[in-house]
């Protein structure tokens, strides 16, 4: 299979392999043929693109290859194939493998019939100066055939002149300009490029030119390649095929790409479904449609389609082949317009071609243009272009003639045989066509026709003298031949285009064109076709030929007189009567039986009917007339129409409450009514009661109720044409008497027109006349409205003209718009440079991270060594503690021993004291005795000696007292000094809490002032730059998910009492932000650094956590329960990181201790917080250690502002209370310091006093001792040697010595005691010293252990730093990769922005200093100026233009509506005239037939007479002459005897029955006035008339016997039983 290029061949190969995957690579290959570079013709052939590419495949794959060739239209033309074949035979065309280095763009020559004796054109020969090849060199033999070959020159033999190949480019340009509308004149090729006429098409679409027109070898090639270009430009998506298309279009959409959504009808309902799909999220590549379509010539609603395309982003491709661009302008509504140039554009049926036109204002224009630069391949054969250009020169004039001829044919087609004409002008979708129709455009040259019958289609086709064939590309009228099928005909269009898809075509509801399917039986027609139903009754069974014969063929009605009509009708009746016809019963619509229960005077009356002729006989009261009455009432008739009663109640049997009537209808045959539901019989039941209730039931043959609606019964009666209320159809007893005996001519006429329903038709025509009058009245109003709309359109056009004057402002806007596009590209390029720098920086950070990791690893090793050393030192200190503890035990043992000795000494001292007391008593006694002796001696010697003795004793006593006082003062001073040192230590200890408390109060006051000042401004608790950070986060667009934070702003504390503890426990978490990805973390980190507000960043997700199974008992408050969290992401992070669902809160410390120290550990409790009742604002955390032992740790109060949202007033109140409590504690602490300070001062004063007293007492003691010694010396000199006194003195001395010994012992005891006390104090000091050393040692051990902990912590920190460093390496590598990916993305974004900017314009230089903001401001200012101007003129240029278009469209629409109303009124008039004409013909036909039938029936008794019908006077009269020998027109019926009158009336009734369409005829007591002779004749005549009406059922009632009637198989005599005795009469008189 041959193709014009390698690319097309490759697409064919891909299609073959896709459709048949069993094909191997070796089974399908391509062979490319190019000009031979070694040929001396090569340089000349370069002028023509002569190349071929053949696809070689297995023979069994031909069907698939043919699909590609047929659907794509990318095959080679016959001219190219013929020329290449000759070149191949001449050796000038060889395989590519032979000439690999030659170029592809080579020249070609025309086919053989356009070849001459030289190779190329004269100009070429003059320039090349090479000998030209002869025919022999090309392998062409001179056979004498004028169909010669010239390798370089095409000869347009058809037009009698030659064209140089240099005109090929001019021909293509001319064709493209013709399509663009800028070349409409019939000019030579040399003139075509210089013609500059601007057409309406160019004016309507801005910037449109021939550069937007692309030529293709065929119309299908333009469609296929447009679809392929759309797929390349927008990616693989489904397409939409809207309306019934040319079959290959649908196949292209289905077989190339993801598939196609097909809307075969192209209706508004289809558009509604499409819009529903689009709203549901479905997206499509493009919508393909035709305007108008083929073969139904329907037009899609392009305005609505364009709106949907703009809203839901899909392209619109319109095929305008049938409409053509001179008639319709669809480019404003389409993105691409495709067309087959093979058709009317060429018009000569000798060349193929196609085109695709891009809309420069379409949203995909730049993309398609760019794609076409890559994908478009000009494969149009040069010779074909020349032929197409020449054929299309008179295109404009041809289209005008074609439009006029097509409309003339539509008007000329006979309406009697043509069922439907499909043409855009007469289509229901004409308004959509008119929306696109050009001002001078017509409706095209294609129309489709359907006929009522196959015979009419064949006759029409055979007799019409025009060419017949399937093409559209001719300059002459062409009719497509119908093809006959059973009961139907079809157009070759359907057969040729869809021969293998006829079932699919039927599903798409594309009817056969040429003739319609055969209509169904009359009874299957709808009630709207009232004329046809009556005209197609038994009388209507007359053939069309007979009807024409009656009316004299096609002659005018006014030219046919009554006698001639009667004569022709008589001839028709005569021929009918000669026919032998079997009276076959009808399959359905007749009565099978009637049953009456409690009806009139009958308990139960059942009457079965025969299918044809029924005679009901019986005596009076037997129920004959009741049968017809029941039939009328049961089938929905009114009681008054029976003339037997005015209401249903009057028909109920006396003594009964209700009545039931049952009528069984036959329902067999293929035309039965809903036979699958009702079966072979339809049972109709009617029930009514004296209470006024009335109901219907419709049952199937098995008695199952199907419906109870009267409307369904009416539908059944209408379907079977059961005209129950028609007085001529069911003629009751009273009506029969009236009709037969007493009716006047006007009464008979009224019966006549009502019976044949001419009266109903007359009323319908009167309604149509009223409608015409209403339309004409509306036309007067609409005409005035059109003038107003025209004025608005004129003003809108003037505004549009004014708007176009401000293009300079719009040019500046366009300039800034272009700069705006490219300044964004520059920004993206700067961002790309920045990212490239970031990549380098990330590499440096990675290197720094590696260095940091090495340092961190070294730090960890050092920290580990330090931990080991500190652990060893701590262990050494713990080992050195043991000697101190042993030393303390030894000192303690000595202290205890000294204490025991001191206790013994105290006991001994107490004993010595007792001896001293006894010595003192003897001394006192001795002194008393001596005093007495002295007194005696004094009395004898005087009192001086005694006085000296007393002075010595007093001096000695004073010395003793001073010594005791000195010792007491010394001990008191030492105690005071010890007390002073202790109080000084206490004072220092008491001052520290005061300072701490003051600091705490200051912080509390600051926090309270902040609360009262800001009133809870939440962000005040966070970093000062937090507002800037939040603003930057909101403005950042690089987040995948917007970060959440700070966390505290999403948390509300419901119980403010826990504010301080929870704020402290949460720590920095409340200031952190949460992101959902690492990339968002990086973006947020950069933002924090930029705004100088660095906060912790957590990574999480917002999947909710169900904590209901993991929470403590409801009696406990938990952190989660006292918090209100408005973000699921925040809640999840607090649960994970802070365990807020398992942290209980208990205010009471004792209760918290009880709960947490209970041997039964609380369920789902991880820790507990409580308030510290000893320190206001502090808290305590209770938990469990590693060994599950309870632990408790204090929690200092939070010093900053609360970050969680809470009640501000409650916080202020709580802080005030805390401050008050802190001030109270400070006062207590200060009072304690003051008291201790007072004690220190008092103690210092006491010590000073003791020092002074010590010096004073030492002086007093020295003076007292000196005085005592002096007195003693004086006494010793004055001693008197007397015996008794000496003895007493000796005794006193002994006592004194004993006392002295006692005192000495006591002094020794005191000294020993003092020694022991000193030793005790020394030992105590040693113990204290050892305790201090132990305390110091324990402190050192504690410090060492703390150091171990610190070192361990530092080691852990170092480990974390080490891990973090290595993690930083990984993060740096990941960041580097991410930044590199961002760089790559940014690079693509730069390319994308550049691509998007190029859609606006090519790259422009942006003015220095311009930024998007500055340009945006300028654009905004210019836009405001433009808007101000637009406000002045009423809108934007687009709005003004749109308003102008809308007003113009509104004007055109109004004109069209007026025209449509005028056409409608005119059509109504034409229809009314035609229908009235047919109605009059129908009147004449029925009248003529009735007259002829009446005359014929009278002749059965040798009567002569006439039936006179005057439709103007509305009378019907009889003239009967019983004696046919008498001359004259006959006698009036009043002058006839009773029998003659009855016989004549029966003849009239039978004549009128011939014109009725109901399947049943009922007549009651027809022979009431007849004698036996007339009765016999009438019976025979009625039976004969019934037999001439096959399929009709007759019910004839007579009270007389039928013994003299020759009963055959089609006659059934029904004899009713005699009436029952005792029956009563109907209560009519009541």
């Amino acid at each position: 299979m041959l193709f014009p290029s390698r690319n097309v061949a490759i697409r064919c190969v891909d299609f073959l392999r896709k459709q048949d995957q069993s094909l191997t690579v070796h089974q399908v290959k391509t062979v490319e043929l190019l000009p031979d570079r070694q040929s001396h013709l090569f340089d000349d052939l370069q002028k023509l693109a002569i190349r071929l590419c053949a696809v070689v495949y297995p023979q069994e794959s031909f069907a698939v290859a043919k699909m590609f060739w047929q659907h794509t239209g990318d095959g080679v033309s016959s001219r190219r194939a013929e020329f290449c074949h000759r070149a191949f035979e001449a050796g000038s065309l060889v395989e590519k493998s032979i000439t690999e280095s030659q170029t592809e763009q080579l020249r070609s020559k025309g086919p053989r019939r356009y070849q001459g004796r030289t190779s190329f054109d004269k100009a070429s020969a003059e320039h090349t100066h090479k000998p030209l090849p002869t025919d022999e060199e090309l392998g062409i033999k001179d056979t004498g055939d004028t169909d010669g070959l010239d390798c370089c020159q095409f000869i347009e033999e058809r037009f009698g002149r030659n064209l140089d190949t240099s005109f090929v480019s001019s021909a293509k340009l001319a064709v493209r300009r013709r399509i663009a509308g800028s070349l409409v004149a019939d000019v030579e090729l040399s003139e075509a490029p210089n013609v500059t006429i601007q057409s309406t098409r160019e004016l309507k679409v801005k910037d449109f030119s021939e550069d937007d027109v692309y030529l293709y070898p065929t119309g299908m090639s333009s469609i296929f390649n447009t679809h392929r270009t759309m797929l390349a430009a927008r990616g693989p998506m489904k397409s939409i095929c809207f309306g019934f298309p040319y079959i290959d279009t649908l196949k292209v959409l289905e077989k190339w790409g993801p598939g196609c959504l097909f809307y075969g009808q192209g209706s508004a309902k289809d558009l509604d479904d499409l819009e529903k799909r689009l709203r549901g999220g479905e997206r499509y590549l493009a919508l393909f449609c035709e305007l108008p379509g083929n073969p139904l010539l329907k037009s899609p609603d392009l305005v609505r389609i364009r709106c949907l395309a703009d809203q839901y982003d899909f392209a619109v491709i319109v095929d305008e082949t049938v409409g053509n661009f001179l008639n319709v302008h669809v480019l404003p509504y389409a993105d691409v317009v495709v067309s087959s140039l093979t058709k009317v554009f060429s018009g000569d049926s000798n060349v193929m071609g196609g085109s695709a036109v891009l809309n420069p204002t379409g949203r995909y224009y730049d993309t398609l243009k760019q794609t076409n630069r890559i994908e478009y391949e000009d494969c149009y054969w040069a010779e074909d272009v020349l032929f197409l250009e020449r054929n299309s020169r008179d295109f404009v004039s041809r289209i005008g003639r074609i439009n006029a001829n097509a409309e003339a044919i539509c008007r000329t087609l006979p309406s009697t045989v043509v069922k439907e004409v499909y043409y855009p002008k007469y289509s229901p979708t004409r308004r959509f066509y008119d929306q696109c129709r050009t001002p001078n455009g017509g409706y095209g040259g294609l129309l489709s026709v359907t006929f009522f019958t196959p015979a009419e289609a064949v006759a029409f086709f055979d007799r019409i003298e025009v060419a017949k064939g399937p093409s559209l590309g001719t300059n002459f009228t062409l009719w497509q031949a119908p093809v006959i099928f059973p009961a139907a005909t079809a157009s070759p269009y359907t057969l040729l285009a869809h021969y293998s898809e006829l079932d699919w075509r039927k599903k798409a509801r594309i009817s056969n064109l040429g003739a319609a399917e055969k209509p169904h039986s009359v009874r299957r027609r709808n009630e709207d076709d009232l004329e046809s139903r009556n005209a197609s009754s038994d009388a209507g069974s007359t053939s069309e030929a007979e009807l024409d014969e009656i009316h004299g063929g096609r002659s005018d009605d006014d030219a046919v007189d009554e006698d001639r009509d009667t004569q022709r009708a008589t001839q028709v009746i005569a021929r009918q009567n000669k026919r032998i016809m079997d009276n076959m019963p009808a399959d359905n619509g007749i009565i099978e039986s009637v049953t009456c229960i409690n009806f009139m005077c009958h308990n139960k009356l059942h009457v079965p009917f025969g299918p044809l002729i029924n005679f009901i006989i019986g005596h009076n009261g037997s129920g004959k007339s009741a049968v017809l009455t029941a039939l009328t009432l049961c089938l929905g008739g009114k009681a008054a129409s029976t003339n037997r009663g005015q209401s249903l109640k009057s028909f109920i049997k006396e003594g009964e409450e209700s009545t039931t009537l049952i009528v069984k209808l036959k329902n067999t045959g293929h035309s039965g009514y809903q036979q699958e539901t009702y079966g072979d019989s339809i049972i109709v039941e009617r029930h009514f009661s004296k209470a006024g209730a009335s109901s219907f039931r419709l049952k199937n043959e098995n008695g199952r109720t199907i419906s109870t609606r009267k409307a369904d019964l009416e539908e059944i009666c209408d379907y079977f044409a059961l005209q129950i209320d028609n007085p001529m159809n069911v003629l009751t007893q009273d009506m029969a008497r009236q009709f037969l005996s007493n009716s006047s001519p006007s009464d008979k006429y009224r019966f006549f027109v009502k019976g044949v329903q001419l009266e109903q038709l007359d009323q319908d025509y009167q309604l149509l006349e009223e409608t015409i009058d209403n339309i004409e009245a509306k036309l007067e109003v609409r005409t005035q409205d059109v003038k107003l709309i025209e004025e608005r359109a004129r003003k809108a056009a003037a505004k549009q003209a004014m708007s176009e004057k401000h293009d300079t402002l719009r040019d500046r806007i366009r300039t800034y718009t272009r700069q705006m596009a490219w300044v964004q590209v520059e920004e993206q390029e700067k961002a790309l440079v920045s990212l490239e720098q970031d990549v380098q920086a990330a590499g440096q950070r990675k290197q720094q991270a590696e260095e940091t990791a090495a340092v961190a690893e070294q730090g960890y090793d050092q920290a580990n060594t330090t931990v080991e050393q500190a652990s060893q030192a701590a262990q050494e200190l713990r080992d050195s503690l043991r000697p101190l503890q042993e030393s303390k035990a030894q000192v303690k043992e000595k202290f205890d021993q000294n204490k025991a000795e001191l206790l013994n000494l105290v006991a001994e001292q107490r004993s010595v004291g007792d001896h001293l007391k006894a010595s003192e008593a003897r001394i006192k006694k001795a002194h008393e005795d001596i005093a007495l002796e002295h007194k005696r001696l004094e009395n004898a010697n005087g009192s001086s000696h005694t006085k000296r003795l007393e002075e010595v004793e007093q001096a000695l006593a004073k010395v003793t007292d001073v010594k005791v006082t000195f010792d007491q003062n010394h001990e008191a001073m030492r105690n005071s000094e010890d007390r002073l040192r202790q109080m000084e230590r206490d004072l220092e200890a008491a001052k520290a809490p005061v300072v701490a408390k003051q600091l705490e109060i200051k912080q509390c006051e600051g926090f309270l002032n902040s609360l009262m000042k800001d009133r809870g401004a939440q962000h005040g608790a966070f970093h000062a730059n937090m507002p800037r950070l939040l603003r930057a986060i909101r403005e950042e667009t690089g987040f995948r998910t917007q970060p959440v934070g700070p966390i505290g702003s999403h948390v509300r504390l419901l119980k403010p009492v826990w504010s301080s503890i929870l704020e402290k426990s949460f720590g920095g978490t409340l200031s952190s932000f949460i992101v959902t990805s690492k990339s968002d973390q990086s973006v947020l980190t950069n933002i924090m650094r930029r705004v100088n507000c660095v906060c912790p960043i957590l990574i999480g997700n917002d999947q909710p956590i169900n904590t209901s199974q993991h929470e403590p008992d409801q009696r406990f408050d938990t952190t989660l329960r006292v918090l209100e969290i408005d973000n699921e992401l925040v809640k999840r992070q607090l649960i994970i990181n802070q365990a807020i669902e398992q942290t209980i809160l208990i205010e009471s410390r004792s209760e918290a201790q009880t709960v947490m120290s209970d041997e039964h550990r609380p369920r789902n409790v991880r820790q507990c917080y409580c308030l510290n009742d000893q320190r206001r604002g502090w808290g305590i955390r209770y938990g469990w250690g590693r060994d599950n032992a309870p632990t408790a740790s204090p929690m200092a109060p939070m010093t900053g502002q609360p970050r969680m949202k809470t009640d501000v007033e409650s916080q202020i109140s709580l802080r005030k209370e805390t401050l008050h409590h802190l001030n109270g504690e400070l006062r207590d602490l200060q009072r304690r310091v003051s008291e201790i300070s007072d004690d220190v001062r008092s103690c210092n004063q006491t010590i000073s006093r003791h020092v002074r007293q010590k010096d004073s007492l030492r002086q007093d003691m020295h003076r007292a001792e000196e005085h005592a010694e002096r007195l003693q010396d004086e006494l010793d000199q004055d001693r008197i040697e007397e015996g008794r006194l000496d003895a007493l003195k000796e005794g006193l001395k002994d006592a004194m010595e004993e006392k002295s010994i006692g005192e000495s012992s006591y002094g020794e005891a005191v000294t020993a005691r003092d020694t022991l006390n000193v030793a005790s104090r020394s030992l105590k000091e040693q113990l204290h010293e050892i305790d201090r050393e132990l305390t110091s040692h324990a402190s050192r051990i504690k410090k060492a252990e703390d150091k171990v902990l610190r070192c361990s912590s530092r080691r852990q920190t170092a480990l974390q730093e080490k891990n973090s460093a290595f993690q930083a390496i990984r993060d740096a590598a990941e960041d580097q990769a991410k930044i590199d990916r961002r760089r790559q993305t940014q690079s693509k974004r730069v390319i994308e922005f550049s691509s998007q900017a190029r859609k606006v314009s090519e790259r422009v230089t942006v003015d220095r200093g311009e930024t998007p903001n500055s340009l945006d401001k300028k654009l905004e200012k210019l836009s405001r100026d433009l808007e101000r101007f637009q406000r002045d003129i009423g809108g934007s240029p687009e709005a003004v233009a749109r308003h102008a278009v809308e007003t113009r469209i509104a004007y055109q629409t109004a004109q069209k509506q007026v025209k449509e109303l005028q056409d409608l009124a005119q059509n109504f008039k034409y229809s009314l005239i035609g229908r009235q004409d047919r109605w009059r013909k129908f009147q004449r036909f029925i009248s003529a037939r009735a007259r002829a039938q009446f005359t014929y029936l009278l002749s059965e008794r040798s009567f002569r007479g006439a039936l006179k019908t005057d439709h103007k006077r509305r009378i019907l009269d009889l003239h009967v002459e019983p004696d046919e020998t008498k001359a004259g027109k006959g006698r009036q019926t009043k002058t006839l005897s009773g029998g003659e009158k009855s016989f004549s009336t029966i003849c009239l009734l039978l004549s009128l029955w011939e014109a009725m369409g109901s399947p049943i005829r009922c007549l009651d007591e027809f022979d009431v006035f007849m004698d036996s002779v007339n009765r016999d004749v009438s019976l025979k005549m009625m039976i004969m008339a019934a037999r001439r009406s096959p399929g009709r059922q007759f019910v004839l009632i007579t009270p007389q016997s039928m013994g003299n009637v020759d009963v055959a198989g089609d006659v059934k005599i029904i004899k009713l039983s005699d009436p029952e005795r005792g029956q009563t009469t109907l209560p009519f008189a009541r």
Side-chain angles (χ1 to χ4, degrees), residues 649-650 652 654 1624-1630:
K649 298 179 184 179
S650 60
I652 301 174
E654 187 70 20
T1624 59
T1625 59
L1626 291 173
F1628 292 142
R1630 299 179 186 177

Side-chain angles (χ1 to χ4, degrees), residues 1191-1248:
T1191 62
S1193 58
M1195 297 185 66
M1198 181 68 183
T1199 56
Q1201 294 186 33
R1203 293 161 294 176
M1204 295 185 293
K1205 295 185 287 188
T1206 185
D1207 184 11
V1208 178
E1209 298 302 328
S1210 299
Q1211 282 281 3
I1212 293 174
S1213 176
L1214 184 63
R1215 291 296 175 178
K1216 285 182 178 180
E1217 184 180 349
T1218 301
L1219 181 61
H1220 177 73
H1221 185 77
L1222 290 175
N1223 284 325
E1225 290 180 346
L1226 178 61
R1227 286 193 296 272
D1228 292 341
L1229 291 173
Q1230 289 175 340
R1231 185 167 54 253
R1232 173 64 178 162
V1233 170
S1234 178
E1235 290 174 354
I1236 295 175
S1237 298
D1238 293 341
D1239 289 344
V1240 169
R1241 286 193 297 273
S1242 176
C1243 190
N1244 283 324
Q1245 292 173 0
T1246 301
I1247 291 173
S1248 298

Side-chain angles (χ1 to χ4, degrees), residues 104-243:
E104 290 185 4
Q105 296 298 326
L106 304 177
R107 306 176 188 179
S108 65
K109 57 183 178 177
R112 181 178 179 184
R113 63 179 180 273
Y114 298 116
Q115 294 173 359
R117 59 187 180 279
T118 58
S119 60
F120 291 91
D121 59 60
K122 298 175 182 178
S124 175
E126 291 173 0
H127 290 293
T128 59
H129 303 291
K130 291 184 180 181
L132 299 177
T134 63
D135 291 350
E136 288 76 17
E137 289 176 321
L138 289 175
I140 305 172
K141 296 180 180 180
D142 187 5
T143 60
D145 187 3
T146 58
D147 191 16
L149 172 66
D150 184 349
C151 190
C152 184
Q153 193 174 49
F154 298 146
I155 305 171
E156 290 188 309
E157 292 179 344
R158 173 181 175 86
F159 306 106
R161 57 190 179 80
N162 299 335
L163 284 178
D164 194 293
T165 53
S166 62
F167 287 145
V168 172
S169 59
S170 297
K172 288 184 179 180
L173 177 61
V175 170
R176 294 192 352 253
R177 296 193 70 191
R178 235 168 236 131
I179 295 171
S182 58
L183 178 60
V184 296
D186 185 354
V187 297
E188 297 295 329
L189 273 179
S190 58
E191 304 173 16
N194 301 320
V195 179
T196 57
I197 300 174
Q198 194 174 29
S199 71
T200 304
R201 183 167 186 160
E202 285 186 315
L203 292 174
K204 283 191 175 181
V205 181
K206 191 173 183 181
D207 299 328
F208 174 62
S209 69
E210 63 269 11
D211 293 336
D212 298 320
V213 180
Y214 295 86
L215 298 181
Y216 293 93
T218 63
M220 277 312 304
S221 177
S222 67
I223 295 173
F224 169 75
N225 282 285
T226 298
H227 179 58
R228 190 173 60 84
T229 303
M230 289 300 303
L231 288 171
R234 301 196 62 212
M237 287 190 287
K238 273 190 174 183
S239 296
I240 305 164
C241 185
F242 192 77

Side-chain angles (χ1 to χ4, degrees), residues 178 183-185 326 392-401:
R178 235 168 236 131
L183 178 60
V184 296
L326 287 184
S392 63
R393 292 180 185 178
D394 62 343
F395 171 61
V396 176
S397 58
R398 272 192 289 113
I399 290 300
R401 295 195 301 274

Side-chain angles (χ1 to χ4, degrees), residues 392-451:
S392 63
R393 292 180 185 178
D394 62 343
F395 171 61
V396 176
S397 58
R398 272 192 289 113
I399 290 300
R401 295 195 301 274
I402 290 173
N403 292 338
N405 291 341
E407 289 197 40
I409 292 173
C410 289
R411 292 192 299 269
T412 305
L413 289 172
S415 61
T416 54
V417 294
V418 173
K419 179 184 179 183
E420 188 82 38
V421 175
Y422 298 97
Y423 189 61
K425 184 175 183 179
Y426 306 112
S427 171
T429 61
R430 173 180 172 178
R431 64 185 185 281
F432 301 141
Y433 184 97
D434 287 343
Q435 286 174 351
C436 307
R437 188 160 61 93
T438 59
N440 298 321
Y443 293 92
L446 179 66
L447 58 100
S448 301
V449 179
T450 60
F451 298 88

Side-chain angles (χ1 to χ4, degrees), residues 1310-1360:
V1310 170
T1311 302
R1313 182 180 176 185
D1314 290 340
T1315 301
L1316 289 175
N1317 282 332
V1318 171
S1320 178
R1321 284 195 294 273
S1322 177
L1323 291 173
K1324 190 173 183 181
E1325 287 293 335
Q1326 291 180 19
L1327 283 175
H1328 288 169
E1329 185 65 27
I1330 292 172
D1331 285 340
R1332 283 194 293 274
E1333 290 182 6
L1334 285 172
T1335 303
S1336 175
H1337 214 72
S1339 176
R1340 288 197 297 275
I1341 292 173
K1342 180 69 168 58
K1343 290 180 180 178
E1345 290 176 345
D1346 290 343
K1347 183 178 180 181
V1348 172
L1349 292 176
R1350 289 195 301 274
C1351 291
S1352 298
S1353 176
R1354 284 195 292 273
R1355 182 178 65 180
Q1356 182 66 26
T1357 303
L1359 178 61
Q1360 292 177 353

